[in-house]
Amino acid sequence: MKPVAILQHEASQGPGILLDHLRQQDIAHVLLDPCAEGSAPADARDYRGIIVLGSNHCANEQLRWIDDERCLLQSALQHDVPVLGHCFGAQMLARAMGARVWRNPCPNIGWSQVHITPCAQQLMDLPAQAILFNWHYDTFEITQAATRTMYGQHCLNKGFVHGRHWAFQGHLEVTEASVRQWCSDGHDELLQAQGPAVQSKAQILAQLPLHIAALHTMALRTYGAWTANLDRPVSVPVAASTFDKIRLKSSDYLRMTL
């Protein structure tokens, strides 16, 4: 069976709990790093699904690997290969669909409440509200072909679905360790960022285990619903071996002689 491609762009922004889910479901996967490699695969049909993680880069940057990644997602849309985008990945999926990506009115960093639409509640088995982890400056437009799934007070478009293609302007995949690492790596950034949706390092880490536990409950339901949309392995009947045929003929002969 073809693997699911995971596009990771930063060492500290790995697939986290999503990788645990794929392993538990015995879903083959391959980890790719378009940013480091300078390019991305061209044909989405080589994969069972495509997962795009976050990045410190902007989706509008004129870089070869970003252009390659957008073309890969357009290939996925064309051939209906399921896509799951997180933050930068969500913005890239929006761009692949012809939507705009631009600066959000304010940075969105830390934990914040999102409202989940009735459509997404049913599709992903989620409550009407949840706490999402965020670290982004940009936002995306939702095309008429897609449906909003989440919205927030300081960022309207927090998620959308388009068939088997799902996008989240936030991070469901993070772990306690990765959040601590992000806060450490982004120490200076947290001191400089300002706005009503920006939390300090102390605020982000306060009650971190409780936040992560609730987030993982939400994430595993969401990931379970998305991976349920992946094409299933096809069972091919195995032809009887020569030995089986000989044994069958012998059995028939015995029945005939009794």
Side-chain angles (χ1 to χ4, degrees):
M1 194 67 185
K2 297 176 183 178
V4 169
I6 304 175
L7 277 58
Q8 179 177 343
H9 312 95
E10 312 292 341
S12 61
Q13 299 184 34
I17 189 69
L18 174 54
L19 184 60
D20 293 340
H21 172 74
L22 294 177
R23 287 171 173 167
Q24 289 169 0
Q25 297 298 312
D26 197 26
I27 296 175
H29 53 274
V30 58
L31 197 61
L32 306 174
D33 188 346
C35 182
E37 296 168 5
S39 63
D43 196 340
R45 290 173 294 181
D46 292 335
Y47 306 100
R48 189 177 172 191
I50 298 175
I51 296 167
V52 188
L53 301 177
S55 174
N56 294 337
H57 289 271
C58 170
N60 290 325
E61 290 183 39
Q62 300 299 309
L63 297 172
R64 177 188 169 186
W65 67 268
I66 290 181
D67 288 339
D68 285 352
E69 204 164 290
R70 177 176 49 80
C71 291
L72 175 65
L73 297 183
Q74 289 174 335
S75 172
L77 290 165
Q78 179 182 356
H79 300 291
D80 194 30
V81 177
V83 175
L84 180 62
H86 300 71
C87 201
F88 171 84
Q91 296 165 15
M92 289 297 297
L93 180 57
R95 283 198 63 203
M97 294 178 66
R100 295 182 302 123
V101 173
W102 70 95
R103 211 66 165 173
N104 196 54
C106 63
N108 196 182
I109 301 176
W111 302 98
S112 67
Q113 185 180 76
V114 292
H115 300 276
I116 302 171
T117 64
C119 166
Q121 291 176 44
Q122 182 177 7
L123 183 64
M124 304 171 192
D125 189 25
L126 297 177
Q129 297 179 357
I131 301 297
L132 191 64
F133 186 71
N134 315 274
W135 200 305
H136 67 93
Y137 295 85
D138 295 339
T139 186
F140 51 71
E141 178 184 36
I142 297 178
T143 67
Q144 292 183 351
T147 302
R148 181 183 292 115
T149 55
M150 298 179 181
Y151 58 95
Q153 180 181 0
H154 299 289
C155 181
L156 177 60
N157 295 330
K158 295 296 290 184
F160 68 84
V161 297
H162 173 58
R164 300 198 292 175
H165 313 294
W166 299 5
F168 299 96
Q169 185 58 76
H171 296 277
L172 286 75
E173 80 285 4
V174 292
T175 64
E176 184 173 343
S178 64
V179 170
R180 292 186 183 279
Q181 184 65 51
W182 288 16
C183 287
S184 177
D185 293 346
H187 175 77
D188 293 340
E189 184 179 345
L190 288 174
L191 294 178
Q192 296 174 7
Q194 297 180 356
V198 175
Q199 291 184 332
S200 66
K201 178 179 179 179
Q203 289 173 317
I204 292 174
L205 298 182
Q207 299 183 321
L208 181 58
L210 292 177
H211 282 311
I212 288 293
L215 181 65
H216 282 183
T217 298
M218 171 185 174
L220 291 175
R221 288 183 180 181
T222 303
Y223 294 151
W226 182 77
T227 54
N229 288 322
L230 297 175
D231 292 338
R232 300 290 98 184
V234 178
S235 298
V236 179
V238 179
S241 65
T242 301
F243 174 79
D244 290 334
K245 292 178 180 178
I246 293 173
R247 184 172 59 185
L248 179 60
K249 291 180 179 178
S250 298
S251 299
D252 290 341
Y253 175 78
L254 289 172
R255 283 197 297 269
M256 293 172 61
T257 56
L258 291 176

